[in-house]
Amino acid sequence: MKCLRDAAALLLCAILTSCSAQPPQVVTTEETTDSVTEPVTEPTPADLKIGENGESRYVILYSESETYGRTTAFRFYRQLRERLKLNLDLVSDKDSPTPAADACEIVIGRADRDECSAIRKTLSEGQFAIAVRGNSLYLIGKDEEGTSNAVDWFLEHCIGTKTGELKVPGDLDFHSGEDMT
């Protein structure tokens, strides 16, 4: 009898503890999908094709007012011609004062371009930057040493060995003192 009473008490406890003041939850078998928002990323800009099959629509632009910019631009021109067989025109900012919206320029030194001034403001003495803005490539130094180092760094790290070919990543934005990965 005692066993029956204990079993009844256990059953009553189990029933009472399973009851709550909240209504029972309804379980459905339908699947629900939560919309997950993926982060929006900007597409990577296309590579600049500075030279392809020995041809180029680019010009090398230098500052008419600085001797070292002209000298460095000529050295850059000569290296592209000798190493890659690319023949680009050398143009001073005096001869090309206002670029077209789709201008294809390799700008060396302190040429008269708004981007040159903006980039130079971020540099300290002796530093340089190599950056793509739109269709143009900028090899900019804070001073003569920086401009020369920008050209040397670019020639060492960015040009390949394929004759007539030169491509630059469209998102290139390198400042000396940073690690290039």
Side-chain angles (χ1 to χ4, degrees):
M1 204 44 143
K2 185 174 180 197
C3 281
L4 188 57
R5 205 172 353 139
D6 289 342
L10 263 171
L11 182 62
L12 183 60
C13 279
I15 292 171
L16 290 176
T17 58
S18 68
C19 294
S20 67
Q22 297 178 357
Q25 292 183 343
V26 177
V27 177
T28 62
T29 57
E30 293 179 23
E31 290 184 26
T32 60
T33 57
D34 294 332
S35 63
V36 176
T37 305
E38 293 291 325
V40 177
T41 57
E42 294 293 320
T44 303
D47 291 348
L48 297 185
K49 293 181 182 177
I50 294 172
E52 192 167 35
N53 299 322
E55 309 237 341
S56 181
R57 59 188 179 134
Y58 279 78
V59 297
I60 299 172
L61 185 82
Y62 63 91
S63 173
E64 181 71 31
S65 65
E66 65 178 11
T67 305
Y68 73 83
R70 182 177 34 244
T71 304
T72 304
F74 182 73
R75 183 168 55 87
F76 183 75
Y77 160 83
R78 195 175 63 239
Q79 286 293 316
L80 291 183
R81 189 170 181 169
E82 289 174 7
R83 291 166 65 178
L84 298 178
K85 309 299 185 238
L86 283 176
N87 192 17
L88 284 67
D89 291 333
L90 276 166
V91 180
S92 77
D93 55 0
K94 181 180 176 184
D95 295 332
S96 180
T98 308
D102 61 347
C104 296
E105 300 175 323
I106 300 173
V107 182
I108 308 240
R110 295 183 189 191
D112 187 21
R113 295 292 184 260
D114 291 340
E115 282 295 329
C116 286
S117 298
I119 293 169
R120 286 187 72 248
K121 286 178 184 176
T122 67
L123 302 173
S124 299
E125 294 298 314
Q127 290 187 332
F128 65 88
I130 300 170
V132 171
R133 301 287 189 271
N135 289 326
S136 295
L137 171 65
Y138 293 85
L139 305 174
I140 309 292
K142 181 72 170 187
D143 50 24
E144 182 176 353
E145 176 189 5
T147 299
S148 183
N149 289 340
V151 167
D152 290 343
W153 193 95
F154 183 84
L155 290 170
E156 183 178 336
H157 294 94
C158 295
I159 70 168
T161 57
K162 189 171 181 183
T163 300
E165 303 287 322
L166 178 57
K167 293 179 186 173
V168 178
D171 60 352
L172 179 63
D173 193 356
F174 175 72
H175 291 243
S176 61
E178 296 177 351
D179 287 332
M180 180 71 166
T181 55

